Amino acid sequence: MRDYLLFCNYCRMFTLLHSYNRETGMFLGEYSLLHNEYTRNSIVLNRFLLAHVGHVMRVIPSKTEEFQEIICTAAHFLQDDIDKFVEESLALEKYKERDRRSEREIGLVQLYILEHLLVHELENITEIRASTPAEGQVLLGRELGLKRALELLRSALAEKQALE
C-alpha cells in the first residue's frame, strides 16, 4: 500500500496523507507517535489547504527520492499540534462509540416496554367475552396477532442476547 504527502511548492511545507482507506473514502491522515494512531479524519488536510490557498501543490507518493527529500528538508505543517488532533480524534471516536452503545441500550429498553405492553393487551383481550360469533372471530384474530407479535419480539430479544 502506498503512502502520500501533499507538498506546497511555494512554502516548502508538507502534510502527510498516509494511505488511502477505501472503506471510509479518506486518507489515514497525520500520525502521532505519542498516541500510536492516525488522525483518521481530514482536519489537518483541510487546514493545510486553507493555509495554502492559491499555492501550487503536488501529491507525492512514497518510495520515491522526492518523497524522501521532502521529508528530510521541508517543513512539516502543524507538526507540534498533531498529537492534539489525534487525541481529539480518539476522544470523538470514544464519544461516538459510547453514543452508539447508549442508543442500543435505549432500544433494548423500548423493546422490553413493548413486550410488557403487548402482554398487558393480550391479557385484556383474553378477558373480553364476545357477544356474537363474529365478534368472537375478531377477538380471536386480535389474540393470535398479539401472540405472534410477542413471539417475534421475544425471538428478536433472544437473538440480541445471543449476539452479546
Side-chain angles (χ1 to χ4, degrees):
M1 189 168 282
R2 241 180 178 179
D3 287 349
Y4 299 91
L5 64 78
L6 186 60
F7 179 67
C8 175
N9 286 335
Y10 182 75
C11 301
R12 300 252 339 124
M13 193 170 278
F14 71 93
T15 184
L16 289 166
L17 302 174
H18 286 336
S19 58
Y20 182 73
N21 185 340
R22 292 187 193 279
E23 290 178 13
T24 61
M26 298 177 72
F27 288 97
L28 292 176
E30 292 284 357
Y31 182 76
S32 165
L33 287 172
L34 178 66
H35 298 287
N36 192 27
E37 186 61 76
Y38 296 96
T39 55
R40 297 190 188 280
N41 61 35
S42 57
I43 188 161
V44 178
L45 173 60
N46 292 341
R47 287 181 182 215
F48 183 83
L49 292 173
L50 287 172
H52 300 276
V53 170
H55 298 181
V56 176
M57 288 186 252
R58 295 180 300 142
V59 176
I60 312 294
S62 62
K63 301 177 185 169
T64 62
E65 285 184 33
E66 188 176 19
F67 184 93
Q68 293 303 320
E69 180 190 330
I70 290 171
I71 293 285
C72 294
T73 61
H76 191 168
F77 183 71
L78 293 177
Q79 183 174 7
D80 297 334
D81 296 331
I82 291 171
D83 292 333
K84 180 185 79 164
F85 289 127
V86 170
E87 193 171 311
E88 289 171 1
S89 178
L90 291 171
L92 182 62
E93 282 302 312
K94 284 180 184 176
Y95 175 77
K96 285 179 183 178
E97 181 57 34
R98 197 170 48 240
D99 193 43
R100 267 193 299 271
R101 264 190 265 124
S102 68
E103 286 292 326
R104 284 187 204 126
E105 290 170 4
I106 289 169
L108 195 58
V109 169
Q110 289 173 331
L111 287 176
Y112 282 118
I113 291 170
L114 178 62
E115 180 185 28
H116 175 75
L117 292 173
L118 287 174
V119 166
H120 183 38
E121 184 66 22
L122 183 60
E123 289 170 356
N124 288 343
I125 294 280
T126 55
E127 292 175 3
I128 298 174
R129 297 291 165 229
S131 57
T132 65
E135 189 179 343
Q137 291 295 318
V138 170
L139 289 174
L140 179 62
R142 286 179 66 190
E143 183 179 343
L144 291 174
L146 286 170
K147 284 181 179 177
R148 180 66 180 142
L150 268 170
E151 194 178 295
L152 290 171
L153 180 62
R154 288 177 177 153
S155 171
L157 286 170
E159 285 180 27
K160 165 87 172 96
Q161 289 174 351
L163 291 175
E164 291 177 349

